[in-house]
Amino acid sequence: MTLNRIAGLALAGFGLLLLVWFVPGQTEIVDYGWVRPQTLPNVLAVALIGLGLLQAVVDRGDAALDPRLALQAAAYLGFVALAVWLMGRYGFVWVAPAMVAAVMLALGERRPLWLAVGALALPGLVWLVVVVLLDRTLPG
């Protein structure tokens, strides 16, 4: 079994976990609105399952695990977990701009204008879509 097949099966497993466990447990059932809260997460979970299985079946090429990149991915995952915990404790409005700025700095962005735009505009757009358009709440 190649690394590509393992990654495809892991992705499909994650999609199945989302579809069966996380989406039903983390979305509220409502009778109003033209898009139900669980619609998009369910569609994306099914897409992950299908694309993961496709990756496992149609394995073209060979992939090698680069330990340096794996360590960077693990560090980023730890950063995201910390950000989620901080958002639950202090709120989206306060944590999201700092999180976006930290990711931009980690990716090498140093221009102050772009840092400010990214750190304010992206969380602002997320807030606008979730709170205003979808009428949902964000942490905090």
Side-chain angles (χ1 to χ4, degrees), residues 127-136:
W127 179 86
L128 180 71
V129 168
V130 172
V131 175
V132 176
L133 296 178
L134 297 177
D135 196 26
R136 299 283 177 252

Side-chain angles (χ1 to χ4, degrees):
M1 181 161 298
T2 66
L3 191 57
N4 284 337
R5 291 188 197 277
I6 293 170
L9 291 174
L11 188 64
F14 178 68
L16 186 62
L17 191 65
L18 284 173
L19 189 64
V20 172
W21 183 265
F22 287 110
V23 173
Q26 298 298 319
T27 55
E28 57 186 277
I29 306 299
V30 295
D31 292 331
Y32 59 89
W34 58 280
V35 176
R36 303 286 186 251
Q38 69 271 21
T39 302
L40 185 60
N42 282 339
V43 167
L44 295 175
V46 169
L48 286 176
I49 293 168
L51 293 171
L53 291 175
L54 182 66
Q55 174 69 30
V57 171
V58 184
D59 182 18
R60 295 186 181 174
D62 189 25
L65 183 62
D66 182 358
R68 182 175 165 265
L69 290 177
L71 185 61
Q72 285 178 339
Y76 181 73
L77 184 62
F79 174 75
V80 169
L82 175 66
V84 168
W85 179 78
L86 288 170
M87 278 186 211
R89 188 167 176 93
Y90 300 107
F92 176 86
V93 173
W94 299 108
V95 176
M99 180 184 80
V100 171
V103 169
M104 290 176 72
L105 286 168
L107 291 174
E109 182 59 61
R110 297 293 183 261
R111 295 172 289 186
L113 179 64
W114 281 110
L115 285 170
V117 167
L120 298 175
L122 291 176
L125 182 63
V126 169
W127 179 86
L128 180 71
V129 168
V130 172
V131 175
V132 176
L133 296 178
L134 297 177
D135 196 26
R136 299 283 177 252
T137 59
L138 287 169

